[in-house]
Amino acid sequence: MKIGILGTGNIGKTLVQKLTKSGHEIKVANSRGPETIDVQILTSGARAVTSQDAMKDVDVIILSIPFASHSTIKPLMAEVPEETVVIDTANYYPVRDGIIQDIENGMVESLWVAGLLGRPIAKAWNAIGARAFAESGMASGNPDRIAIPVAADRKNDRDIAMRLVEATGFDAFDAGTLADSWRQQPGAPVYCTNLTKHEMATALDTAEKARLPKRRDLVTAVVLERFGAEKLSNSDADFLTTLNRIIYR
């Protein structure tokens, strides 16, 4: 497939490398321009382009950008065909993104993004840590393979997102609609706890929406105190998984 990826952070760069190696044609962009993209990201064959070019003539667009940055790419969505699959990987962290009142009032993060962009999306790769995503992929059929939840309202969006998750070395798990995708937000039992497919259904079912923000903020405070702001999204993988399992489950 032809895929445009916006964002070259920890998750974005791994997506570029894994999906290119899986045989997909990848264009990648960031907010600063193609000349600023690290050449190491492009060694597997991806092309550095502008944000506008990354969203043209592709089957799939993957948004791997800070949550608050969705408003900046909204104008670019105007020319994207309705059938193009848009997959979002971002999570809301008020300490980083600022307060978004609708989400503070209980709106599901994925629904907020879909409403802002004015189109359906799928949610995937948001519930795995950056280091685990980069280092822990396994071949299909391995009983220890980590599962990644995928939520979407349109069948085609869900099917393609799940196929791409599998291509990155993880088991794709159908987590239902966007309205239910709060179950994979920060603070939920499946969030960055590295569960297998067999563990995923129970963990999704036991999520308690009202408790997510407090749990998210508790883990954030611990990570900031121990590692600092620069490691908020890429702290020690084993430590973070253990901490999340203690707090979120």
Side-chain angles (χ1 to χ4, degrees):
M1 283 185 285
K2 295 180 179 180
I3 302 173
I5 298 178
L6 271 66
T8 54
N10 294 317
I11 295 293
K13 67 182 180 182
T14 300
L15 282 167
V16 170
Q17 293 163 345
K18 286 177 176 280
L19 292 175
T20 305
K21 290 177 181 178
S22 295
H24 298 286
E25 183 179 328
I26 306 297
K27 297 189 290 186
V28 59
N30 64 18
S31 60
R32 301 179 303 279
E35 68 282 356
T36 68
I37 294 177
D38 188 341
V39 294
Q40 293 298 317
I41 300 176
L42 309 174
T43 54
S44 54
R47 291 192 294 122
V49 299
T50 65
S51 297
Q52 291 86 346
D53 287 342
M55 302 174 78
K56 291 179 181 177
D57 302 318
V58 291
D59 305 301
V60 180
I61 296 169
I62 302 177
L63 306 176
S64 191
I65 58 178
F67 196 86
S69 297
H70 286 90
S71 58
T72 66
I73 59 110
K74 179 181 178 181
L76 304 180
M77 284 289 173
E79 303 301 321
V80 176
E82 183 68 19
E83 64 270 17
T84 302
V85 176
V86 177
I87 306 173
D88 183 46
T89 75
N91 298 293
Y92 170 60
Y93 278 92
V95 69
R96 178 195 64 196
D97 301 312
I99 298 296
I100 299 175
Q101 200 58 52
D102 285 339
I103 297 177
E104 294 292 324
N105 293 340
M107 189 173 190
V108 177
E109 294 175 15
S110 299
L111 292 178
W112 185 88
V113 172
L116 178 69
L117 300 181
R119 60 172 301 122
I121 64 168
K123 192 76 168 184
W125 295 294
N126 75 298
I128 186 165
R131 288 187 61 182
F133 183 44
E135 300 171 2
S136 300
M138 297 181 181
S140 180
N142 190 314
D144 296 324
R145 200 183 198 207
I146 296 170
I148 291 179
V150 177
D153 291 339
R154 300 192 304 189
K155 183 180 184 301
N156 188 56
D157 294 346
R158 180 182 296 107
D159 290 347
I160 288 180
M162 292 183 70
R163 191 189 317 166
L164 293 176
V165 165
E166 294 280 344
T168 60
F170 298 85
D171 282 334
F173 190 92
D174 185 348
T177 65
L178 292 181
D180 285 329
S181 65
W182 63 267
R183 297 178 184 274
Q184 63 195 72
Q185 289 178 188
V190 305
Y191 184 76
C192 297
T193 50
N194 293 356
L195 305 182
T196 66
K197 182 181 288 187
H198 298 294
E199 298 170 311
M200 183 67 66
T202 298
L204 286 167
D205 287 344
T206 57
E208 301 175 67
K209 189 176 182 182
R211 303 180 72 178
L212 265 57
K214 184 176 182 179
R215 292 177 171 183
R216 174 202 66 205
D217 293 345
L218 178 59
V219 168
T220 299
V222 172
V223 172
L224 286 173
E225 191 279 332
R226 177 156 180 165
F227 298 105
E230 72 279 2
K231 292 290 186 180
L232 183 59
S233 62
N234 198 30
S235 55
D236 179 84
D238 292 335
F239 173 83
L240 186 59
T241 300
T242 300
L243 179 64
N244 288 343
R245 288 191 172 207
I246 292 170
I247 302 298
Y248 295 165
R249 300 184 72 194

